[in-house]
Amino acid sequence: MFRIGLALFLATAMAHAGNRIAIPVEGLLVRLDAGDASTLRLDDAGHVVEWRSAAPTASHTFGAPETSRRPQSLRGHRGALRPCVRFDGNNDVLVDSAFAKAAEVWTAVIVAAPRSNPMGAGGLCSASPTKANDYDPGFTIDLYNATGRFDSLSIEGAGRMNGAIDQMRSNFSFGGLHLIIVERGASLIRLWIDGDEQESRPANAATTSMDVLRIGARYYDGQERHYFDGDIAQFLLYNRVLDPEEHIRLTQSLGISPSERAEELRTGLGKHVERMVAPRVVKAWETVERFERYLTKYPEILPASDLAALPLHKDLKEAVALGMQNMNSMFDADKDNEPYFYSNRQADGTGALYHSVNIGIPHVVGRGLWATMIGEIATGSPFPPDGLATYTRFCRFSFDNPDNLNSYIDPARDNKRFIEFHNMREGLYGLVALMVGRDDAWAREKAQAMLVTLDKLTDAEGHWSIERASALGMKERCEGMHTVNAARLIDPLLAYHAHTGDPLAMKLAGLYARAALKEVYLPDGRFAPFEQSTGHIHSLTSALSGITAYAVVTKDSEMLVQCRKIFDNGVPEYFSSWGWGDEVMPAHPANVVSRGEMNQTGDVIRTAIILGNAVDPNYFDLAERYVRSMVLPTQHRVEEMRGYLTDSPEPKGDFQRDVLKRSIGGWAMQLPNDRMREGDWPLVTIDITSGAIHSLAECYRHCLATDGDVVRVNMLFDAENDDVAIRSALPTAGRVSFEAKSDTTLHMRIPEWVKESTVQLSIDGKPRPVAMDGAYARIGALQAGQKGELTFALPCKIERETVDGTEYTTAWIGNQIIAISPRGAVSPLPF
């Protein structure tokens, strides 16, 4: 076997980067070099019309089948040292349909920089008979299962044994140039990346048919597909296997030199220096009909066969009811019905339920009370009496102490009581829920006493003072007295004030808001580093929603400007355009790659609603987009759960009983493109589910807003109140129907992405002119019983966006994501 230390050899042999050695020419069928301008014919926009082979013994020219499918010629790889041709991963390809070659053995050499794998199995190159498959009797070199990184290559072809397999051992970030050599010998298919040999696979003797040769795509089942997203600098194809000396010489000639690799690293090539890169449109359509015609041609974009088959959820009331059901089913029958903290999918696929000590009772109880109560108030779904009684009992237990702060008993520390200040927000929320929803006198008394204690602990700068805690004899039991944990409290303080008018709540809210703006957010609106801010994104976003609401209530315009800076500048550093949000900052010790938490998505939604009401109604569109594209798709539902979770056949206790049923309707730690990763992973946590329900309830409550005799439709979901009923055909059709239930005047927000000239209005079947009032279409005065509808064209697009270091390709109808690549593997989202 030819296994010399090529990587070691190259470290010295390639030090003289400028001395390129002539490549072998015997048996060379194709030589494409993006650095040879004489071989490229470009159109006026710099796209490749033809790429001519410079092999001395054969003349072959590669071109795109259609003008719109031409790749882009780059005079250098984003500033690197080598010219490339960039393929967009959407439909770019270069084809020689008259290649007409065959070979018993062959060698392919590619210098390429994969940028992502949007369609899966992106084909760097492939060959096939005119109307037959590339994988047999032709060949394909494709990215196979590469998702977030360049870590997978599969080589198939005539005589190979078994189907697609991953032959890569190396693992790289997307974006950097690599030398790929594939050798199809008499009995083995071998692979080298940057001089390092990867895995080989056995093959039988067979003739490879290469009637058609493609660069940047695959072909099988009668269709071209799996387009390559990346840059190709060189492509060579031989009708023989190179000898070891030739192999070394070729690697020396085309490999990435140390100086070139250093330049890549210096300029940020070969890795994603920026974790989050804003979306850019790569293709757009003005109507759904045009988009559907495109999907007919490229069906691999969607996980379903057509738009109507996509399992898109849009019913807010149903989602809230499912979430409430989840939160009131997670009680431990073996432990006096103590609420579990979370359910988990074990590595074997079965489920189990678990408790937590310091963030258990004093945290999840308040969240369970608040979310279920606000769900009842907003949508009318009743709080289950047994659940209410259980949560109330444990809430009383948590607050049953002379400090009047929710606390926990730690069995690992001699059953002593401790106060974790990260739980203060949740504790007060629980009390306010009982006050607002059930007029509970104990909760009212305890909430007032809680605020008195917090006031005693709070200094003039808005900090919880350990000195003050010491003076109160509380120092030894107080934990987590951080500025951001105080700022988390602002939301429930405002809810308490709205119900009671207590000025102490506003005093504390103001102190905590100003301290947080000064310390945990930077002047430009970005989140402060984790050493300064704790790095827990939900804490920062829940504080932001409270501070924004405080600024609006107190009419503090300067504070509101700062909140908008945080929302516009800080939030995008940790959130995708479809609403996935990081659990913690990348530098945080607890960081798990791309692990999210629905809590903070809910916080951002609620903040957007506040800003939509107070500042600019276009913020409502972000709230609607996050709900449609992240909150609703990630909710666990029984149809999907059966595919990734089973119940233990012999439960050892309540913690293993009916976990699937009890987890339906909840949320936990989602990925940008999946509900979970392989192996052990959280399914549901009560506090995260609470945050999702809270945001959905607020969305439903603010879909319709009555101002005097005018009803405003702020978000285009199904909704109704005493004055009007709205039925929305979104996301797949631009049609919103309405029916007046009383004499009223109706205004409807038209999203910014809707082309105003396409908006049409009819009332009782008769067309009416549409007048705009800012972001709203004036439907006008309606009498009880009148019906109508507003229609508009739904624009569609395909975008690319980098999220937590991975570039994703997404497809959208209006503000609804409907497809994503790379797609999750375990429980992929319905887009």
Side-chain angles (χ1 to χ4, degrees):
M1 294 291 288
F2 167 53
R3 283 185 183 270
I4 69 169
L6 278 176
L8 179 63
F9 177 87
L10 290 174
T12 54
M14 292 175 59
H16 306 288
N19 299 326
R20 292 293 179 188
I21 301 169
I23 64 171
V25 295
E26 181 187 346
L28 183 60
L29 302 178
V30 178
R31 181 182 182 182
L32 300 176
D33 185 351
D36 185 351
S38 68
T39 64
L40 288 166
R41 184 162 70 88
L42 309 179
D43 61 20
D44 292 341
H47 293 95
V48 177
V49 178
E50 290 181 349
W51 197 358
R52 182 172 51 80
S53 169
T57 59
S59 177
H60 296 285
T61 301
F62 296 79
E66 301 168 16
T67 302
S68 62
R69 303 176 61 194
R70 294 170 178 170
Q72 178 80 42
S73 173
L74 301 181
R75 302 309 297 168
H77 179 72
R78 291 196 301 166
L81 306 180
R82 204 173 295 197
C84 298
V85 171
R86 171 160 292 179
F87 295 77
D88 69 359
N90 185 28
N91 61 1
D92 286 356
V93 67
L94 293 173
V95 183
D96 182 354
S97 58
F99 190 65
K101 295 289 187 294
E104 305 302 311
V105 296
W106 50 266
T107 302
V109 182
I110 313 167
V111 177
R115 299 174 65 235
S116 74
N117 192 21
M119 303 297 184
L124 283 86
C125 63
S126 65
S128 65
T130 303
K131 294 293 184 181
N133 300 325
D134 54 13
Y135 54 80
D136 192 10
F139 77 83
T140 175
I141 302 171
D142 64 70
L143 296 181
Y144 189 39
N145 282 334
T147 53
R149 296 173 63 81
F150 174 38
D151 58 3
S152 176
L153 268 180
S154 174
I155 299 97
E156 292 184 276
R160 89 279 186 258
M161 297 179 186
N162 301 316
I165 63 170
D166 179 13
Q167 290 186 230
M168 271 187 76
R169 289 185 292 106
S170 300
N171 188 312
F172 306 98
S173 296
F174 278 132
L177 284 167
H178 299 280
L179 173 63
I180 302 165
I181 300 180
V182 176
E183 176 189 283
R184 200 300 187 196
S187 60
L188 282 178
I189 299 175
R190 301 170 68 186
L191 170 67
W192 288 262
I193 307 288
D194 295 330
D196 288 328
E197 185 161 10
Q198 311 292 303
E199 300 294 336
S200 61
R201 67 180 299 178
N204 295 316
T207 300
T208 301
S209 297
M210 298 179 277
D211 293 341
V212 181
L213 184 61
R214 286 178 174 82
I215 310 298
R218 293 192 55 190
Y219 183 95
Y220 62 89
D221 290 345
Q223 189 173 34
E224 193 175 79
R225 59 185 75 212
H226 297 305
Y227 298 95
F228 174 61
D229 177 26
D231 305 332
I232 294 180
Q234 280 103 0
F235 173 78
L236 289 80
L237 182 64
Y238 292 86
N239 64 0
R240 65 185 182 91
V241 171
L242 304 181
D243 65 40
E245 184 179 343
E246 290 176 316
H247 192 119
I248 292 173
R249 206 163 73 230
L250 186 71
T251 305
Q252 285 182 258
S253 178
L254 296 182
I256 316 305
S257 71
S259 62
E260 191 170 7
R261 185 69 75 199
E263 178 69 5
E264 282 200 321
L265 295 174
R266 186 187 69 79
T267 59
L269 299 170
K271 62 177 183 178
H272 291 290
V273 174
E274 295 181 86
R275 285 181 54 257
M276 311 293 283
V277 178
R280 57 185 177 87
V281 177
V282 296
K283 209 167 191 62
W285 300 264
E286 293 185 344
T287 66
V288 172
E289 292 73 23
R290 292 181 180 179
F291 184 42
E292 286 181 315
R293 287 198 291 271
Y294 181 81
L295 293 177
T296 300
K297 194 171 183 180
Y298 304 106
E300 61 267 27
I301 291 175
L302 285 184
S305 58
D306 55 56
L307 297 180
L310 288 171
L312 301 175
H313 301 295
K314 61 179 186 176
D315 191 330
L316 299 183
K317 291 181 70 173
E318 178 202 34
V320 169
L322 275 177
M324 292 167 63
Q325 170 188 306
N326 167 255
M327 299 194 74
N328 287 272
S329 65
M330 293 184 63
F331 302 122
D332 190 346
D334 295 338
K335 198 176 180 184
D336 196 26
N337 276 341
E338 178 182 327
Y340 290 106
F341 178 41
Y342 67 103
S343 66
N344 216 57
R345 191 197 67 170
Q346 314 296 92
D348 64 1
T350 63
L353 295 148
Y354 294 95
H355 294 282
S356 171
V357 176
N358 65 336
I359 201 170
I361 293 172
H363 196 92
V364 303
V365 167
R367 294 300 293 271
L369 281 168
W370 176 253
T372 314
M373 197 69 78
I374 197 172
E376 176 186 88
I377 293 169
T379 69
S381 296
F383 200 139
D386 290 348
L388 176 59
T390 299
Y391 279 128
T392 301
R393 176 162 57 88
F394 280 96
C395 183
R396 285 174 173 261
F397 169 77
S398 180
F399 275 99
D400 186 17
N401 60 75
D403 300 318
N404 296 306
L405 300 179
N406 47 318
S407 59
Y408 67 97
I409 306 299
D410 191 345
R413 291 187 280 182
D414 300 323
N415 286 315
K416 291 182 179 178
R417 185 174 64 85
F418 293 91
I419 303 166
E420 169 54 68
F421 280 76
H422 184 79
N423 299 328
M424 291 301 102
R425 173 181 187 261
E426 287 63 32
L428 183 55
Y429 257 146
L431 297 176
V432 175
L434 291 171
M435 292 164 53
V436 172
R438 295 298 183 269
D439 195 22
D440 190 299
W442 169 84
R444 185 184 302 273
E445 179 183 341
K446 187 57 65 173
Q448 174 61 29
M450 180 184 189
L451 265 60
V452 169
T453 300
L454 292 173
D455 187 41
K456 290 177 180 178
L457 292 170
T458 304
D459 65 22
E461 301 300 318
H463 302 120
W464 285 323
S465 164
I466 196 66
E467 290 77 19
R468 290 182 173 223
S470 181
L472 294 172
M474 298 172 58
K475 178 180 177 181
E476 299 305 319
R477 55 182 176 270
C478 291
E479 302 170 330
M481 298 178 73
H482 193 280
T483 302
V484 76
N485 284 335
R488 287 164 53 95
L489 252 173
I490 299 170
D491 262 331
L493 284 169
L494 295 176
Y496 175 78
H497 178 266
H499 190 68
T500 66
D502 188 342
L504 179 56
M506 292 302 286
K507 171 194 171 184
L508 292 173
L511 286 169
Y512 299 155
R514 291 180 178 86
L517 287 176
K518 184 178 180 181
E519 297 174 26
V520 300
Y521 307 101
L522 302 179
D524 63 1
R526 292 178 299 122
F527 300 168
F530 87 95
E531 298 90 346
Q532 189 175 336
S533 65
T534 76
H536 183 226
I537 304 301
H538 164 53
S539 292
L540 291 161
T541 53
S542 61
L544 174 61
S545 67
I547 299 169
T548 306
Y550 176 83
V552 171
V553 170
T554 59
K555 296 181 172 58
D556 189 327
S557 59
E558 184 177 339
M559 183 180 288
L560 189 57
V561 167
Q562 185 62 15
C563 289
R564 290 188 71 182
K565 277 187 184 179
I566 298 168
F567 194 91
D568 295 340
N569 299 335
V571 167
E573 287 198 61
Y574 298 96
F575 286 81
S576 73
S577 64
W578 58 92
W580 174 85
D582 249 326
E583 179 196 13
V584 292
M585 292 179 175
H588 194 288
N591 180 52
V592 177
V593 174
S594 295
R595 192 165 99 162
E597 185 179 332
M598 194 55 66
N599 255 330
Q600 61 263 36
T601 298
D603 297 332
V604 174
I605 289 167
R606 292 185 296 105
T607 306
I609 290 171
I610 295 167
L611 293 171
N613 278 318
V615 179
D616 182 350
N618 289 309
Y619 280 109
F620 284 122
D621 194 66
L622 183 142
E624 184 177 336
R625 175 170 18 115
Y626 277 21
V627 168
R628 289 189 185 278
S629 300
M630 200 73 224
V631 180
L632 293 177
T634 53
Q635 186 176 32
H636 292 297
R637 292 170 181 262
V638 67
E639 296 83 3
E640 295 94 0
M641 287 197 80
R642 290 190 177 122
Y644 52 84
L645 182 68
T646 59
D647 284 321
S648 176
E650 297 180 359
K652 297 177 181 178
D654 184 79
F655 75 101
Q656 289 183 335
R657 192 171 294 119
D658 297 326
V659 178
L660 191 153
K661 180 180 178 181
R662 295 156 87 175
S663 298
I664 294 167
W667 288 265
M669 304 290 189
Q670 76 288 343
L671 309 180
N673 61 352
D674 210 335
R675 292 179 183 85
M676 64 187 69
R677 295 178 72 178
E678 293 181 358
D680 191 89
W681 197 260
L683 291 162
V684 168
T685 73
I686 287 182
D687 61 330
I688 292 177
T689 299
S690 169
I693 294 172
H694 189 182
S695 67
L696 292 174
E698 285 297 289
C699 259
Y700 188 79
R701 202 163 67 85
H702 287 89
C703 278
L704 303 176
T706 301
D707 182 11
D709 63 348
V710 175
V711 176
R712 291 184 180 271
V713 182
N714 293 320
M715 287 169 280
L716 305 182
F717 292 103
D718 289 356
E720 62 181 289
N721 60 15
D722 293 339
D723 299 306
V724 67
I726 302 296
R727 295 293 176 265
S728 174
L730 292 172
T732 54
R735 183 178 67 256
V736 182
S737 305
F738 52 87
E739 180 178 359
K741 298 165 69 176
S742 67
D743 293 350
T744 190
T745 299
L746 188 64
H747 291 181
M748 188 177 297
R749 184 181 64 83
I750 305 300
E752 283 188 301
W753 42 264
V754 169
K755 195 171 182 179
E756 195 174 310
S757 61
T758 70
V759 178
Q760 296 183 343
L761 170 66
S762 65
I763 298 177
D764 292 336
K766 298 177 181 178
R768 297 280 185 90
V770 179
M772 296 298 296
D773 181 7
Y776 292 84
R778 290 182 175 179
I779 306 301
L782 300 172
Q783 295 179 339
Q786 279 195 298
K787 299 178 181 180
E789 68 177 22
L790 189 141
T791 63
F792 47 83
L794 273 177
C796 305
K797 61 185 175 181
I798 291 176
E799 290 187 333
R800 290 223 178 87
E801 177 177 353
T802 299
V803 178
D804 202 20
T806 296
E807 187 176 67
Y808 292 92
T809 300
T810 56
W812 296 77
I813 299 178
N815 62 359
Q816 169 78 60
I817 186 174
I818 62 163
I820 191 168
S821 180
R823 195 162 177 254
V826 179
S827 54
L829 303 171
F831 53 73

